[in-house]
């Protein structure tokens, strides 16, 4: 039986991995010589959570009720819950494989904390609080992890000004992760192995402006200008050492949950809603606050929003929200009018934006849980959404929650290396991953997407 080994590189974009950096990545380049590969369209929203679970389950964010890291609780204005593994009820590829007796090893696949039982071994992901908690399945695997790498690193705080610390910690985290992966390859009896390296995403967000000459805050002579290309070389070196441990007929995949690109700025969406009279709250210029810190007149509010790489806008509905004002019969009219207003927003210099507004019921077969009323990609995701208010302008040059130079893009990467396959480019979507993995094991299920082999 063939083995399948999946390398997950969070936020790897095809523009860099397949083109700009490929000549400096000898191990990945060699892999592509016998691969089908191409840009892989992510889900909506193109966000780490839910995208990795969309990939693994073949289900939409709506079917899983996962729309990002945080979600409203019971249509509250302020109560939230943070995504975690126990909220994923759908079967993933390793569950289907486990039913057939195949064993899996999972390392860092979001969201996998708290660790759930699988037919194999699991080390949880970047949402794990720290190494003091139970983060493996089975539980005794934790002692083995720490014997191999010491204090395991799940993630790095990257939105801070001490960039040397960020860089050094990401390097340490990644080297430890690959060391652990190699240990597990050699010591476990596995059929399916998937790990996700979150370090690439952190490197992109923390160092993009030093690397990209088109970034509006680019610093051409910075000592950090080579951090991103150097990190890709680190990944390639670690991948090369790892691939040497695999059997020759092992199928190897490299995938990413979404892509990445430069951030043009941050749009203060709640401040705009207040200015438009849709959100009834007051703010003072220069006194930046989160929406939760304002005195909001909910009984006079039509809509409010959450910030992030994409915006979630909620309407204040009678009978749904505590102080709702929009009658259900007026819901479609209000939502369409606000969507038209959002799509008409122009940039700071009056330039037209390619803003996209999505209604959950238009893009998912079902939309479970605490769904937003609309999801917004400002200027095709080039502009992040700021939930805070009190800014001197609606257009912020930097992120409002800490330094962050990059935003997500819709296309990540897909590669599938099989020794006897001819190299070719393919068009694919994130929904094709699960059917492709299952077909490598001769298993078919009625999932969204198609097998690429």
């Amino acid at each position: 039986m063939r083995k399948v080994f999946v390398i997950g590189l969070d936020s790897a974009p095809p523009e860099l991995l397949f083109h700009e950096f490929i000549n400096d990545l000898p191990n990945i380049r060699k892999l592509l010589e016998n691969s089908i590969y191409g840009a892989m369209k992510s889900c909506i929203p193109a966000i780490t959570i839910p995208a990795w679970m969309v990939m693994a389950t073949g289900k939409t964010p709506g079917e899983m009720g996962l729309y990002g890291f945080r979600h409203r609780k019971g249509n509250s204005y302020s109560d939230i819950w943070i995504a975690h593994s126990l909220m994923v009820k759908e079967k993933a590829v390793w569950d289907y494989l486990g039913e057939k007796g195949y064993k899996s090893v999972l390392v860092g696949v979001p969201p996998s904390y708290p660790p759930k039982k699988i037919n194999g071994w699991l080390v949880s992901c970047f949402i794990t609080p720290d190494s003091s908690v139970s983060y493996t399945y089975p539980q005794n695997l934790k002692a083995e992890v720490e014997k191999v790498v010491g204090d395991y690193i799940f993630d790095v705080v990257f939105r801070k000004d001490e960039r040397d610390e960020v860089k050094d910690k990401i390097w340490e985290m990644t080297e430890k992760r690959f060391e652990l992966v190699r240990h597990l390859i050699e010591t476990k009896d596995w059929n399916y192995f998937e790990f996700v390296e979150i370090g690439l995403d952190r490197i992109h967000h923390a160092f993009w402006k030093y690397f990209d000459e088109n970034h509006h805050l680019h610093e051409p002579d910075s000592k950090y200008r080579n951090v991103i290309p150097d990190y890709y070389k680190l990944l390639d070196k670690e991948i090369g050492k790892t691939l040497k441990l695999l059997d020759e007929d092992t199928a190897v995949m490299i995938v990413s949950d979404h892509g990445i690109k430069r951030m043009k700025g941050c749009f203060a969406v709640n401040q705009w809603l207040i200015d438009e009279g849709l959100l009834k709250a007051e703010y003072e210029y220069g006194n930046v606050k989160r929406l939760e810190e304002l005195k909001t007149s909910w009984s006079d509010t039509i809509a409010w929003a959450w910030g992030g790489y994409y915006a979630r806008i909620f309407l204040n509905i009678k009978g749904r929200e505590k102080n709702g004002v929009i009658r259900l019969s007026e819901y479609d009219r209000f939502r369409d009018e606000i969507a038209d207003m959002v799509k008409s927003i122009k940039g700071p210099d009056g330039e037209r934006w390619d803003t996209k507004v999505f209604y959950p019921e238009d893009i998912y077969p079902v939309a479970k849980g605490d769904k937003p009323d609309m999801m917004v990609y400002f200027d095709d995701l080039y502009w992040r959404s700021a939930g805070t208010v009190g800014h001197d302008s609606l257009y912020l040059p930097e992120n409002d929650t800490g330094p962050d130079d990059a935003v997500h893009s819709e296309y990540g990467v897909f590669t599938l290396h099989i020794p006897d396959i001819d190299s070719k480019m393919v068009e694919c979507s994130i929904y094709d991953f699960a059917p492709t993995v299952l077909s490598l094991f001769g298993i078919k299920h009625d999932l969204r997407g198609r097998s690429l082999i």
Side-chain angles (χ1 to χ4, degrees):
M1 175 59 217
R2 187 191 295 276
K3 290 183 173 181
V4 176
F5 184 77
V6 181
I7 302 168
L9 301 179
D10 198 288
S11 86
E15 299 86 359
L16 298 186
L17 194 72
F18 295 154
H19 302 290
E20 188 164 345
F21 292 159
I22 191 63
N23 289 334
D24 292 323
L25 310 175
N27 294 298
I28 295 174
R29 188 179 61 199
K30 189 171 189 307
L31 210 59
L32 293 185
E33 290 173 359
N34 292 102
S35 294
I36 56 173
Y37 66 100
M40 182 165 77
K41 189 172 186 178
S42 187
C43 58
I44 302 171
I47 301 293
T48 296
I49 296 174
W52 284 108
M53 276 301 143
V54 167
M55 203 185 304
T57 64
K59 300 296 182 182
T60 65
E63 289 168 289
M64 291 190 289
L66 280 180
Y67 305 97
F69 288 92
R70 58 180 174 150
H71 299 76
R72 295 174 71 194
K73 189 182 292 183
N75 295 314
S76 165
Y77 298 115
S78 56
D79 292 342
I80 64 167
W81 58 271
I82 300 296
H84 55 81
S85 66
L86 302 181
M87 297 306 293
V88 180
K89 308 295 185 187
E90 305 288 346
K91 287 183 182 177
V93 289
W94 47 85
D95 297 315
Y96 292 116
L97 295 175
E99 291 172 354
K100 299 289 185 181
Y102 296 125
K103 292 183 177 179
S104 297
V105 176
L106 305 177
V107 178
V109 182
S112 54
Y113 180 81
K116 294 199 294 191
K117 181 179 180 180
I118 66 166
N119 187 32
W121 303 265
L122 181 150
V123 179
S124 62
C125 70
F126 74 98
I127 62 172
T128 307
D130 56 52
S131 59
S132 69
V133 302
S134 176
Y135 60 82
T136 62
Y137 179 83
Q139 279 194 1
N140 60 11
L141 178 62
K142 176 180 176 180
E144 187 177 336
V145 171
E146 293 172 359
K147 187 176 180 182
V148 174
V149 299
D151 192 19
Y152 187 68
I153 303 174
F154 299 93
D155 196 6
V156 170
V157 177
F158 65 96
R159 289 195 182 111
K160 63 180 187 180
D161 293 323
E162 295 79 11
R163 302 298 169 101
D164 285 335
E165 288 181 19
V166 174
K167 174 181 176 293
D168 292 346
K169 202 68 178 176
I170 291 174
W171 246 255
E172 181 186 356
M173 173 178 70
T174 297
E175 289 170 343
K176 283 190 172 184
R177 186 116 55 228
F178 273 92
E179 189 176 350
L180 175 63
V181 165
R182 287 191 285 269
H183 168 80
L184 295 173
I185 287 172
E186 293 191 295
T187 59
K188 307 306 175 198
D189 177 24
W190 57 271
N191 305 98
Y192 179 79
F193 197 123
E194 179 177 347
F195 77 98
V196 173
E197 178 49 65
I198 195 72
L200 183 60
D201 182 78
R202 295 350 189 183
I203 282 284
H204 285 150
H205 285 296
F207 294 95
W208 194 274
K209 71 179 180 184
Y210 308 107
F211 150 77
D212 187 348
E213 295 178 359
N214 294 315
H215 197 285
H216 67 290
L217 299 175
H218 179 56
E219 298 178 18
D221 299 320
S222 169
K223 66 176 182 178
Y224 302 122
R225 62 185 178 280
N226 290 322
V227 168
I228 287 180
D230 285 348
Y231 184 78
Y232 274 81
K233 292 175 187 173
L234 170 71
L235 286 177
D236 186 75
K237 183 186 75 174
E238 296 289 349
I239 288 171
K241 288 168 63 178
T242 305
L243 294 180
K244 288 178 181 175
L245 303 179
L246 303 180
D247 299 335
E248 286 188 0
D249 64 345
T250 299
V252 179
M253 305 176 78
I254 301 178
V255 290
S256 61
D257 51 340
H258 54 77
I260 201 93
K261 57 188 178 184
R262 76 185 192 278
M263 186 182 81
K264 291 184 177 179
C266 219
F267 183 71
V269 60
N270 275 322
Q271 192 163 316
W272 175 81
L273 286 167
I274 293 173
D275 293 353
E276 294 293 329
L278 297 169
L279 170 57
K280 291 298 181 183
E282 295 182 357
Y283 63 87
E284 299 174 16
Y285 288 111
N287 187 13
V288 176
K289 290 186 175 182
R290 293 176 291 134
L291 181 62
E292 307 88 271
E293 298 173 310
L294 298 181
K295 187 176 180 182
T296 301
S297 176
W298 289 109
S299 57
D300 296 314
T301 288
I302 301 293
W304 77 102
W306 280 1
Y309 294 111
Y310 80 106
R312 280 179 264 188
I313 295 182
F314 304 97
L315 271 55
N316 200 20
I317 309 299
K318 267 185 184 293
R320 192 182 74 176
E321 275 78 10
K322 182 180 178 182
N323 300 111
V325 296
I326 300 174
R327 292 194 296 272
L328 207 53
S329 60
E330 299 174 308
Y331 178 82
D332 289 342
R333 178 174 67 82
F334 270 99
R335 187 168 64 160
D336 289 346
E337 287 178 0
I338 295 170
D340 287 342
M341 293 170 67
V342 168
K343 286 186 278 191
S344 71
I345 294 171
K346 294 183 178 179
D349 299 317
E351 73 273 21
R352 186 178 295 278
W353 276 359
D354 181 19
T355 294
K356 298 171 182 172
V357 175
F358 305 99
Y359 295 165
E361 70 271 21
D362 289 346
I363 56 175
Y364 308 133
V366 294
K368 297 178 181 174
D370 308 277
K371 61 184 181 295
D373 293 296
M374 65 180 83
M375 296 178 279
V376 181
Y377 286 4
F378 284 115
D379 196 19
D380 194 24
L381 289 170
Y382 271 112
W383 283 78
R384 204 176 190 279
S385 171
T388 51
V389 304
H391 304 283
D392 294 335
S393 167
L394 295 176
Y395 307 93
L396 319 180
E398 300 205 59
N399 180 36
D400 65 334
T401 58
D404 193 341
D405 303 339
V407 289
H408 293 186
S409 60
E410 283 191 275
Y411 283 87
V413 300
F414 174 91
T415 76
L416 169 59
H417 166 86
I418 302 174
D420 54 357
I421 199 171
D422 292 329
S423 174
K424 68 173 183 179
M425 299 282 287
V426 292
E427 292 183 2
C428 58
S429 92
I430 198 167
Y431 295 102
D432 298 333
F433 175 86
T436 301
V437 168
L438 293 179
S439 69
L440 287 167
F441 288 92
I443 300 171
K444 288 186 178 179
H445 273 282
D446 186 21
L447 299 174
R448 202 180 180 94
R450 64 194 168 111
S451 171
L452 298 172
I453 57 171

